[in-house]
Amino acid sequence: LEEAAFQLQQIFRIDISIALNILGIESMRAGHCRTGFTCFKLAADRGYSKAQFNVGLCYEHGRGTEKDLEKAALYYCHAASSCHPMAQYRYGRYLLQHSPGQQWDRLQRALTFLEGAATAGITEAQAYLGVFYMRGLQPQEKRGLKYLLLAANSGDAQSRYHVGVCYEQGLGVQQNLAEALRHYREAAAAGNRHAQERLK
């Protein structure tokens, strides 16, 4: 009986969090940002990862509250720890961009979150990792190309352009000008200016 009561309590708690998060989304759409933020925060403080991500967005962009990147990172971290893919991407990026002197453990933590997001299909994370591995202090070209191809195949024209550069210059792959040309054409057709210039 105690177990059943506990399970009902958990379901009720989750349902309230979901309802608060939906109410927050609807409030934001209606232009009531403060109300939306309050709803997100109530759900986030109950441990609901989607609401934690939304609170992070509010703090990052100053919607319904004051802009505060550290608080945004804190909420992204909570959501990322619950495997929320977009939060993993944003928190991983935050760690890389705001880490003093690129501390090794912080770098590894950031990459773990970014790779989790990329594996979950977040195109932005795939593109970010692709460029990161290509341009890092110790470039890992094959790894970078793998992520660039994932992003390109998800429709990211900038990543498609970068894949063309890889084939043109032989980065992480055998040099192949015909393949480079194919990727440049696809990126250019999708509106990528760099690819259009490269084709000229």
Side-chain angles (χ1 to χ4, degrees):
L1 201 62
E2 281 179 23
E3 179 64 25
F6 176 76
Q7 292 297 330
L8 277 172
Q9 209 172 25
Q10 292 301 101
I11 290 166
F12 184 65
R13 187 171 164 225
I14 290 166
D15 283 349
I16 287 176
S17 300
I18 292 169
L20 283 167
N21 192 56
I22 292 168
L23 193 58
I25 291 167
E26 292 305 317
S27 296
M28 285 290 181
R29 283 186 185 146
H32 306 297
C33 295
R34 280 202 183 281
T35 304
F37 173 74
T38 302
C39 292
F40 290 148
K41 185 104 169 42
L42 286 168
D45 292 344
R46 291 170 160 270
Y48 189 51
S49 65
K50 289 182 181 180
Q52 290 168 338
F53 174 72
N54 288 333
V55 170
L57 283 176
C58 288
Y59 276 124
E60 184 178 355
H61 300 291
R63 295 195 67 207
T65 186
E66 300 243 343
K67 206 172 188 177
D68 188 327
L69 284 183
E70 284 184 20
K71 284 183 181 175
L74 176 69
Y75 280 92
Y76 287 149
C77 176
H78 290 317
S81 298
S82 297
C83 298
H84 186 289
M86 202 62 185
Q88 289 177 320
Y89 163 64
R90 292 205 179 241
Y91 186 59
R93 251 184 63 182
Y94 174 85
L95 288 174
L96 286 179
Q97 292 171 351
H98 297 90
S99 56
Q102 295 288 2
Q103 299 164 342
W104 177 252
D105 57 333
R106 195 168 172 141
L107 175 68
Q108 290 308 306
R109 193 164 177 231
L111 291 176
T112 299
F113 280 123
L114 285 166
E115 287 179 357
T119 303
I122 302 297
T123 304
E124 294 94 326
Q126 295 164 346
Y128 192 91
L129 279 172
V131 172
F132 177 84
Y133 283 126
M134 284 291 180
R135 294 183 180 164
L137 293 173
Q138 298 174 323
Q140 298 177 43
E141 292 168 354
K142 285 188 177 180
R143 200 172 200 175
L145 180 61
K146 176 187 111 173
Y147 284 112
L148 286 173
L149 278 168
L150 284 171
N153 292 335
S154 294
D156 184 53
Q158 183 68 17
S159 294
R160 180 70 64 196
Y161 162 74
H162 286 305
V163 170
V165 172
C166 290
Y167 275 101
E168 183 181 357
Q169 298 178 4
L171 303 171
V173 70
Q174 181 87 34
Q175 187 179 33
N176 184 331
L177 296 181
E179 193 65 12
L181 189 62
R182 183 178 75 79
H183 287 286
Y184 287 146
R185 282 184 179 142
E186 283 185 36
N192 184 271
R193 190 174 42 83
H194 296 296
Q196 291 164 353
E197 288 170 9
R198 200 79 160 202
L199 283 171
K200 290 177 187 173

